[in-house]
Amino acid sequence: MARKTPRKLPGRREDGATTKAQILEAAGEVFAEKGFDRATGKEIAERAGSNSAAVNYYYGGIEGLYADVLVEAHRRLLTYDKLLALAESPGEPTEKLKILIGLIARRITGPESSSWALRVLSREILSPSSVFPVLVKREILPKKLVVTGIIGEILDRPHDDPVVTRCTLNIIAPFAMLLVGNKQIFTQVLPGFNSGEPEVQEQIVEHFQRFALAGLAATAAALQSDDH
């Protein structure tokens, strides 16, 4: 049977890469609104301006599409290439970590916090799907190795040392909470925490940086004391 191609629409570029990207964007919006379980390929294709065969044609089905949406969402939070470039750049590891914390904190607390990418990640963290292992393999684990490498340098410990693992958890936990937390509840429980104003956002960024680096400094001091 001949494979159907997406119907052509006036005013759109018809190259495959553009159509595929349009489907991905539409899917991100639908998945953010409804979640993986309630989203349909038909609705996604219609929102992208394509026919219902487009999801299968470009992604092999809705599960393959969702996997690519998750990966793209994580990349929009921070790409592996950008993270690796930061880790391999000259400078002290504490400064690299400070920059890294700033990048993530600004993305999560800034205007882009309402983007489909962060909402999709939030849904997936709260209720992991069958596709979650794909995200772990393609994005989370490679990035984790880079981050634990930076933290390991600060503590003078291997990246897989249990102390490094615990410190990594302490540093990323606030971001995970902000990612999955309901903003209205945050406003009620912690009034003034994130008003959306740039000045307040920078105060939050600076606090996360200061808190993380102080915790690592205290941990490093304790490790030195134990070694003597």
Side-chain angles (χ1 to χ4, degrees), residues 18-32:
T18 298
T19 303
K20 186 175 181 180
Q22 289 165 349
I23 293 172
L24 185 75
E25 287 296 323
E29 294 171 359
V30 174
F31 288 134

Side-chain angles (χ1 to χ4, degrees), residues 93-106:
T94 51
E95 282 303 309
K96 296 176 185 179
L97 182 62
K98 188 175 179 180
I99 293 171
L100 173 59
I101 291 172
L103 288 171
I104 298 175
R106 290 185 183 93

Side-chain angles (χ1 to χ4, degrees), residues 140-169:
I140 294 177
L141 289 181
K143 291 173 182 174
K144 184 213 75 169
L145 288 176
V146 180
V147 174
T148 53
I150 294 174
I151 295 173
E153 280 189 74
I154 296 173
L155 298 176
D156 195 24
R157 286 291 193 277
H159 73 90
D160 56 352
D161 188 288
V163 175
V164 174
T165 301
R166 291 193 291 269
C167 288
T168 303
L169 177 61

Side-chain angles (χ1 to χ4, degrees), residues 118-136:
L118 296 188
R119 285 184 288 140
V120 165
L121 289 175
S122 173
R123 280 184 174 274
E124 185 65 19
I125 292 171
L126 287 172
S127 182
S129 68
S130 59
V131 182
F132 186 67
V134 177
L135 178 63
V136 171

Side-chain angles (χ1 to χ4, degrees), residues 13-22 57-58:
R13 290 175 58 200
E14 295 305 328
D15 58 281
T18 298
T19 303
K20 186 175 181 180
Q22 289 165 349
Y57 181 84
Y58 288 107

